[in-house]
Amino acid sequence: MSFDIFHNLIIKAPINKVFDAVSLPQHLNNWWTLKSSGKPELGLEYNLNFTDDYNWFCKVSVAEPNASFHLKMTQSDADWNPTTFGFDLVTTKEGTLVKFSHVNWPEANHHFKYSSFCWAMLLNGLKNYLEKGVIISFENRN
């Protein structure tokens, strides 16, 4: 048995801007990571650095421009390692529907529940970044 996190939200921005914000390192660093690197191409590696202690790696498992972007963790911690997270995007009258998922958690433990809360907060940060140009400093993102 595995456990999954799902969040849906509308962002009042064109789908290509949302795709870039969830897949390009220069944008990830403005709402999620301290510093990251990678290219949104199937099978390529991303480095997601949050601190020296949380310097994680993953591979692109889905990369469909302006539609879907998913990363499979390859080097992180025991809870995150078996997981894949991603963004499926749909254009709506209001903007872009973001269907976020973070799946295959081994346990519904404290870390799983806290990560679900953190994702909700970070996705709100993504929304504010795209809609209002708000960049919250890395130190204030939790």
Side-chain angles (χ1 to χ4, degrees):
M1 174 179 248
S2 66
F3 300 90
D4 305 326
I5 296 168
F6 297 101
H7 295 293
N8 286 2
L9 66 149
I10 296 282
I11 297 179
K12 295 175 186 166
I15 200 166
N16 63 312
K17 300 282 187 197
V18 178
F19 184 82
D20 287 351
V22 301
S23 65
L24 297 177
Q26 66 265 32
H27 291 291
L28 293 174
N29 297 342
N30 287 332
W31 68 270
W32 185 32
T33 53
L34 176 61
K35 56 186 174 187
S36 61
S37 62
K39 284 186 171 184
E41 296 175 20
L42 190 62
L44 294 186
E45 184 174 75
Y46 269 65
N47 174 220
L48 307 173
N49 179 279
F50 303 96
T51 65
D52 289 343
D53 292 332
Y54 295 93
N55 187 30
W56 293 355
F57 294 86
C58 49
K59 286 201 175 176
V60 178
S61 59
V62 177
E64 298 171 17
N66 303 326
S68 294
F69 183 69
H70 294 247
L71 294 167
K72 166 74 176 95
M73 299 307 299
T74 58
Q75 182 182 338
S76 56
D77 66 22
D79 288 325
W80 276 60
N81 256 351
T83 69
T84 299
F85 67 91
F87 306 83
D88 295 304
L89 310 176
V90 179
T91 297
T92 70
K93 289 180 286 188
E94 298 85 22
T96 301
L97 171 62
V98 177
K99 298 181 195 178
F100 172 82
S101 62
H102 192 166
V103 299
N104 296 325
W105 284 76
E107 295 180 68
N109 59 12
H110 170 77
H111 192 187
F112 166 82
K113 294 171 186 175
Y114 184 72
S115 292
S116 180
F117 170 78
C118 287
W119 275 123
M121 299 297 289
L122 288 163
L123 291 168
N124 189 57
L126 169 66
K127 179 178 175 70
N128 287 326
Y129 170 61
L130 287 167
E131 292 181 355
K132 302 173 186 172
V134 173
I135 298 173
I136 299 169
S137 66
F138 180 78
E139 298 77 25
N140 295 318
R141 289 187 196 156
N142 71 15

